[in-house]
Amino acid sequence: MNRLIVIFLTILFQTAALAGGTDYLKNSWTAKSRYLPSKLVKEITNASNFLPVEILHSTIEDHLAGPDLCSVDFARDLFGKAVLDRKAFLSISKWRYDNLIDDLFYRQLSFVFQVETYLQHEKADASDFSEKKAMRYEKKYELRKGWAKLPNSCVSTVFNFVQTTTSNPWGRKKIIHTLRKLGIINDRVFGSLEFARKNKRAFVALEIRSYLEKLKKVKGALYSERKKIEDKYTRSQDGEAPLELANRPESENEKTQKASKSFFIKHFEKNQTLHEIIYTKYTAEQIVVLASIILNASKRIEADSVSINFDFDLTVPDDQSIYVLSPMEKYRLSIRMLELDLKKASLAFKIGAGNIRYEELVYASMEAGVLKENELIQVLKFEEFWNPKNPEWKKYVNFVLSFSTTASLALPFPYNFIAAGALGLIQSTFFRQKKPKNEEHSSYGIF
Amino acid sequence: MAFFKSLIILFLLFILTDANSASVEMNVLTRPKNNSSKPKIIKVALEDLKSLSEFDGEFFKIVQANSDKAIAIHGPDKDLVLKGASVYYHLTQAKNFWANKLGKNAVDKLKQVIIRLNVGEENLALVNATFTLREPDSLELWFGRPLAVNIDDLPDYRREMPIGDLFQYLGTSGTSIIFSNLQALTLEKILYPKYSVGNYWITGLVHVSAIALLNVAVAGAKFFDRLIADKRYFKDTAMIPESVYSLYSLLLLGRRVNGTMTYPAVRGMMDFFAAEIAGTKRLNKKLKGYTSSRIKSFFKNPQYQTLLEYDSLGQENFVFELLYSIKSAFKDNYFPLIFGAHHYFNSQSPTIHRELLESLLLSCEKYCRNPFTDKLKLYEIFGLKGL
């Protein structure tokens, strides 16, 4: 009897845990306030006299012409102050709140302010790290050799250097301390790195100038190619003039925009946005390559005709046959080729970037002008071809299944038969169903 | 007296001014719009009639079989008059629908259409066929005679057999279980004769007789179905509003699909327009589960098969279901998309998996709000339908 109670309770708790899910996150999120805590938003609404965003644009223009500066110096130039204060921070937050600057810019500048306030109140200390230790780690990681190749000693470059030297978080701590002990980096850089490490802050290892250069190369790079696809839609048709409807439909609607919002919700929940991931993980050229994968796939889907040629004998003329694909075959083939392209790109980029997620591909294509915001959701569905999602009901079924297998062994005689019966019932009813037909080829086609 | 005189003058004036398009109140058979399938006889006004004595209108002329004379409104055959009135009324409904969608000029281009009722000999064909003839001068719609079909005359695949299907399923699975048991017994008898318990021959006989009984039950269930089901079906195509709507749509849009009108891809689309004209969800409700036009079965998952397109089991219902799922996906913009597809039927033998899909995709390029994503949405729907 006790056993039954325990089993009942486990069912209750597990179902409660399953039912909770991530729904509360979706409801609490709004586009503007996600990255700004509610306290900060209150402060912005109460404060006045913010700096206009034009100042930012003019400083950027100056720095694009001159030498590359670290983000701390950039922030000082921006506000014309030796010590960065709270008021300056509030005007950055206001810009972000009004969507005048993007998340990556905001992340970089706000990090500078956070480090400034951190260094004012606390002092990062490397005194308990002995010189013997420092020499040992210098030998192990060959820090001086690697250091000689670096262009400057900005926080972001040092951060990148540490990241690439080791993936172990303890190792990273040791490297930072060694660099300070050997006198390679100053207190400020050391403090900022320690702050990022201790608070587990998502840190953007990207300098402002290189980010702007990347943006220049990527933004709308493939837009003209995409426009070619759209131009096809307005081609004139041959033949008799067709019967026309009296009322033509309007061109735009709001529903598609709503759908695109859920795409952003999904990714803003996490610590790093897709925007940040893409610009820090890949070079500008790589982003354009990723976007061109989606462009090629959509070109293939939009193709007027696709055929497979069989050349039986190259020496004999006209000894061949042609198979013309049907629209659905063309569609499935294009998506499979997209998967192949993605795998190839993954292999090619592997040394620098690791595996490529399909979402990154889709976001990159939006940046390069291949996709529009309201088209993301539909293109994201392609992934279900090679990576089908488990539906919600299947989670519950799997839970009951795992539970009844143990119950059929653990329960005494008459009850274990009930559990075994339930097991059989579940397997016969739910698992007899085939996969959604979209994933398979049709009853007639070859793809 | 002066009052009566003025009345007569008024009446004469009325006739003179409205001589070209008279309207008569008549009983017609129609389906109420509250999704119920039971037809009702209601009184409506038939419009655009040339005279008050015949079904001879500006747009439609209803005649019987081969004759050229229109059916009399007050004729002796009341069934024929009811049928004539119903067909006239539903054709007007369809005409009004298309006039609303395409503008009045597009519909008025059609000259007077001649509708022939009760064509052909009695019980000549099993299916009460309807034909559309389209020649440069005369347009004609033909409706066959009312048909009484005996259930015994129908082949198995055309009959509804709920009990037969159930027994078929139980029979096949039961037979395989019993047979495998018998096999195990036989192996035991041959390989380990010492361990076999009981008399093998008696248990074997029981198994074999069980299989035989099951098969008899399966065969018997088909006869049992006949006891429950209706023994005779009475079918009169002219009295079905949706079939009239479908035929008128074919007549109107037939210019593009000329010569291909018997193909399921085209007929299914016209059926969809018929459902639109009827304005009810009834057709979709009734057709669910019939998507492949085969027998309705609990255990069989209907799936598209290309071969069936060229078979006697057409795929009109499948096309209808496909278009209906497009309707539910493109809620407020479905009609131009589906309507536009008929422009692109250029092939002489349009198939569902190729020409229908191509024409829908081409139509989307022209009529969709955002062709790039809407075409992807269409591909998704096609995939889920098993195409």
Side-chain angles (χ1 to χ4, degrees):
Chain A
M1 195 62 202
N2 284 342
R3 224 189 282 175
L4 273 177
I5 292 166
V6 169
I7 287 162
F8 175 72
L9 282 174
T10 46
I11 291 177
L12 214 111
F13 284 125
Q14 288 208 24
T15 43
L18 273 174
T22 54
D23 282 356
Y24 76 97
L25 277 174
K26 278 179 190 170
N27 294 330
S28 65
W29 187 85
T30 52
K32 283 169 187 171
S33 63
R34 172 70 182 122
Y35 272 102
L36 305 179
S38 52
K39 273 185 186 175
L40 186 59
V41 175
K42 265 186 189 174
E43 213 174 328
I44 292 168
T45 46
N46 290 332
S48 55
N49 296 334
F50 300 109
L51 285 172
V53 80
E54 283 75 34
I55 291 173
L56 179 74
H57 297 315
S58 59
T59 1
I60 287 171
E61 273 167 25
D62 294 346
H63 284 285
L64 275 178
D68 198 0
L69 284 175
C70 298
S71 41
V72 185
D73 303 322
F74 182 84
R76 287 217 179 96
D77 277 7
L78 184 63
F79 295 103
K81 283 173 184 171
V83 181
L84 297 166
D85 61 352
R86 187 76 183 166
K87 268 190 182 177
F89 176 61
L90 281 183
S91 26
I92 304 170
S93 307
K94 175 73 178 166
W95 296 342
R96 176 71 194 120
Y97 189 73
D98 296 342
N99 255 342
L100 295 171
I101 54 173
D102 66 11
D103 49 354
L104 218 143
F105 242 106
Y106 177 68
R107 180 66 64 81
Q108 277 175 330
L109 290 176
S110 71
F111 183 79
V112 171
F113 285 97
Q114 281 167 7
V115 170
E116 285 289 313
T117 45
Y118 169 77
L119 291 178
Q120 277 172 23
H121 299 298
E122 287 179 50
K123 275 195 175 174
D125 207 6
S127 59
D128 60 332
F129 202 77
S130 69
E131 274 193 27
K132 261 190 182 177
K133 262 188 185 177
M135 293 307 288
R136 204 167 77 221
Y137 289 119
E138 204 282 320
K139 261 188 186 175
K140 189 181 174 185
Y141 294 116
E142 294 181 334
L143 292 174
R144 279 183 210 273
K145 251 191 192 176
W147 191 259
K149 290 174 193 168
L150 290 185
N152 56 35
S153 58
C154 282
V155 181
S156 49
T157 30
V158 183
F159 185 85
N160 266 340
F161 173 66
V162 178
Q163 290 276 57
T164 46
T165 314
T166 176
S167 58
N168 178 13
W170 286 105
R172 279 175 192 166
K173 185 191 171 186
K174 282 161 191 166
I175 291 171
I176 294 166
H177 279 256
T178 313
L179 287 173
R180 179 73 205 99
K181 205 71 197 174
L182 297 174
I184 295 173
I185 53 174
N186 59 15
D187 276 342
R188 178 173 295 283
V189 175
F190 174 68
S192 342
L193 289 173
E194 275 293 278
F195 170 76
R197 198 185 57 78
K198 275 182 187 168
N199 295 312
K200 288 180 183 168
R201 282 292 147 91
F203 175 70
V204 183
L206 185 68
E207 277 151 47
I208 285 170
R209 187 176 166 176
S210 53
Y211 171 53
L212 289 170
E213 275 167 1
K214 266 188 190 181
L215 273 183
K216 223 181 190 180
K217 281 180 190 168
V218 171
K219 278 276 177 191
L222 298 174
Y223 179 71
S224 57
E225 289 292 309
R226 153 74 199 235
K227 213 161 172 305
K228 279 180 195 167
I229 297 175
E230 278 180 7
D231 290 345
K232 262 173 69 176
Y233 299 151
T234 49
R235 284 178 301 185
S236 58
Q237 297 290 331
D238 309 335
E240 207 176 336
L243 285 171
E244 282 293 344
L245 284 174
N247 302 317
R248 282 291 292 272
E250 298 151 22
S251 57
E252 274 299 316
N253 67 348
E254 291 175 4
K255 278 176 191 172
T256 45
Q257 287 174 1
K258 267 185 189 174
S260 68
K261 216 172 183 182
S262 65
F263 172 79
F264 292 108
I265 289 168
K266 202 178 149 195
H267 296 290
F268 278 128
E269 276 169 12
K270 289 165 191 166
N271 217 352
Q272 253 185 319
T273 60
L274 269 180
H275 182 86
E276 290 175 20
I277 292 171
I278 279 169
Y279 279 99
T280 48
K281 201 168 162 185
Y282 306 109
T283 61
E285 288 75 20
Q286 280 174 334
I287 295 171
V288 176
V289 168
L290 291 183
S292 70
I293 291 174
I294 293 277
L295 178 75
N296 287 340
S298 41
K299 264 183 175 175
R300 283 181 200 125
I301 291 172
E302 296 283 345
D304 283 345
S305 158
V306 184
S307 55
I308 300 173
N309 269 357
F310 297 91
D311 230 322
F312 301 122
D313 195 341
L314 283 172
T315 54
V316 181
D318 298 335
D319 190 13
Q320 58 180 0
S321 82
I322 298 170
Y323 176 79
V324 182
L325 302 192
S326 75
M328 279 314 286
E329 286 170 333
K330 177 184 73 180
Y331 173 68
R332 290 199 184 88
L333 173 68
S334 310
I335 294 183
R336 267 168 210 168
M337 285 177 83
L338 165 68
E339 187 197 355
L340 186 70
D341 286 352
L342 179 61
K343 280 177 185 169
K344 277 181 185 171
S346 267
L347 271 175
F349 297 175
K350 194 144 198 177
I351 305 152
N355 281 328
I356 302 164
R357 282 193 293 153
Y358 182 65
E359 293 142 316
E360 293 167 8
L361 206 73
V362 173
Y363 195 90
S365 54
M366 195 186 88
E367 284 290 299
V370 177
L371 295 179
K372 290 169 191 164
E373 247 182 60
N374 54 7
E375 294 161 0
L376 298 177
I377 292 292
Q378 203 60 39
V379 178
L380 267 182
K381 282 181 185 170
F382 289 164
E383 200 188 1
E384 286 173 29
F385 260 78
W386 65 86
N387 193 11
K389 274 179 192 166
N390 251 4
E392 198 65 17
W393 61 267
K394 220 167 191 177
K395 285 178 195 167
Y396 292 96
V397 168
N398 282 340
F399 164 68
V400 176
L401 198 71
S402 65
F403 172 74
S404 52
T405 38
T406 47
S408 65
L409 294 169
L411 291 177
F413 162 63
Y415 305 109
N416 60 1
F417 264 73
I418 297 166
L423 210 116
L425 196 76
I426 290 162
Q427 281 183 341
S428 60
T429 48
F430 290 106
F431 290 88
R432 223 177 52 178
Q433 286 177 352
K434 284 179 185 173
K435 282 178 188 174
K437 277 166 199 156
N438 212 352
E439 294 155 29
E440 299 172 356
H441 64 80
S442 74
S443 56
Y444 182 70
I446 51 171
F447 293 109
Chain B
M1 207 54 197
F3 173 71
F4 280 109
K5 266 185 184 174
S6 60
L7 256 185
I8 289 164
I9 290 164
L10 268 175
F11 182 69
L12 281 173
L13 267 175
F14 176 75
I15 288 175
L16 281 173
T17 48
D18 213 18
N20 285 331
S21 57
S23 73
V24 185
E25 278 217 342
M26 290 209 72
N27 281 336
V28 295
L29 191 77
T30 185
R31 237 188 276 278
K33 288 210 170 183
N34 55 355
N35 287 340
S36 71
S37 58
K38 279 187 182 172
K40 265 186 182 174
I41 291 181
I42 55 166
K43 206 157 215 186
V44 292
L46 301 184
E47 286 162 358
D48 299 332
L49 281 170
K50 278 181 186 169
S51 75
L52 294 169
S53 57
E54 287 176 335
F55 287 112
D56 188 4
E58 200 178 329
F59 301 104
F60 310 111
K61 182 183 178 184
I62 295 170
V63 298
Q64 192 179 7
N66 300 333
S67 79
D68 289 334
K69 214 184 166 228
I71 296 169
I73 284 176
H74 302 291
D77 191 348
K78 284 193 174 175
D79 285 349
L80 188 66
V81 172
L82 178 67
K83 199 194 275 188
S86 304
V87 170
Y88 193 94
Y89 171 69
H90 291 305
L91 283 170
T92 319
Q93 291 271 307
K95 187 181 81 76
N96 290 344
F97 174 85
W98 284 114
N100 190 25
K101 288 280 180 195
L102 303 173
K104 220 167 173 271
N105 290 337
V107 181
D108 289 352
K109 270 181 196 171
L110 286 182
K111 289 172 193 169
Q112 193 190 42
V113 183
I114 294 166
I115 296 103
R116 296 190 184 279
L117 302 179
N118 298 348
V119 181
E121 288 171 35
E122 212 164 333
N123 282 341
L124 182 70
L126 206 58
V127 181
N128 191 0
T130 56
F131 292 101
T132 316
L133 288 187
R134 206 188 147 92
E135 287 162 21
D137 294 334
S138 69
L139 307 172
E140 294 194 2
L141 289 185
W142 290 12
F143 290 99
R145 272 180 190 283
L147 201 70
V149 183
N150 241 332
I151 194 172
D152 297 331
D153 297 341
L154 287 172
D156 270 2
Y157 63 80
R158 283 206 176 272
R159 260 186 281 156
E160 277 187 38
M161 294 192 296
I163 301 167
D165 277 353
L166 181 69
F167 270 73
Q168 188 78 44
Y169 181 73
L170 290 177
T172 44
S173 55
T175 311
S176 67
I177 290 168
I178 297 167
F179 189 72
S180 59
N181 205 2
L182 186 64
Q183 267 185 329
L185 270 177
T186 318
L187 279 173
E188 206 178 62
K189 176 77 182 165
I190 295 163
L191 298 172
Y192 308 104
K194 278 184 185 176
Y195 296 101
S196 64
V197 188
N199 193 337
Y200 168 75
W201 296 110
I202 289 171
T203 43
L205 198 68
V206 168
H207 276 77
V208 170
S209 53
I211 291 171
L213 265 175
L214 264 176
N215 282 315
V216 168
V218 170
K222 284 180 186 174
F223 292 101
F224 197 66
D225 268 323
R226 288 183 191 192
L227 289 178
I228 311 168
D230 297 330
K231 294 213 171 52
R232 293 182 93 206
Y233 289 107
F234 191 75
K235 190 175 172 187
D236 193 351
T237 325
M239 290 299 230
I240 304 169
E242 284 85 356
S243 77
V244 178
Y245 300 150
S246 169
L247 279 172
Y248 183 80
S249 309
L250 189 56
L251 196 70
L252 186 70
L253 311 177
R255 183 171 37 184
R256 275 274 164 180
V257 292
N258 198 8
T260 60
M261 47 190 75
T262 50
Y263 283 85
V266 178
R267 291 302 279 265
M269 189 180 280
M270 297 309 149
D271 286 354
F272 178 79
F273 291 138
E276 284 294 302
I277 295 166
T280 60
K281 292 176 182 172
R282 202 188 72 86
L283 262 181
N284 182 47
K285 261 189 188 174
K286 288 270 169 192
L287 282 172
K288 258 183 187 171
Y290 283 95
T291 51
S292 68
S293 192
R294 278 175 287 173
I295 46 165
K296 191 182 182 184
S297 164
F298 181 74
F299 301 105
K300 284 173 195 162
N301 197 6
Q303 208 181 12
Y304 170 79
Q305 281 181 20
T306 321
L307 275 178
L308 289 173
E309 269 189 51
Y310 308 101
D311 212 334
S312 55
L313 311 166
Q315 295 273 333
E316 289 171 43
N317 303 337
F318 177 81
V319 175
F320 179 84
E321 275 288 303
L322 182 72
L323 297 178
Y324 207 88
S325 48
I326 291 174
K327 178 185 174 176
S328 42
F330 293 77
K331 269 165 197 159
D332 49 349
N333 191 30
Y334 67 92
F335 194 84
L337 163 63
I338 293 168
F339 170 79
H342 89 273
H343 299 322
Y344 303 100
F345 278 124
N346 289 327
S347 163
Q348 278 300 306
S349 54
T351 52
I352 295 168
H353 71 280
R354 209 173 270 272
E355 276 82 5
L356 179 70
L357 301 198
E358 271 169 5
S359 60
L360 279 168
L361 289 164
L362 280 171
S363 166
C364 185
E365 284 184 5
K366 195 172 179 189
Y367 292 105
C368 284
R369 286 205 173 105
N370 185 355
F372 188 82
T373 38
D374 289 349
K375 274 172 94 176
L376 294 180
K377 224 188 258 181
L378 278 179
Y379 278 119
E380 200 186 346
I381 293 167
F382 300 153
L384 289 171
K385 279 277 168 196
L387 276 158

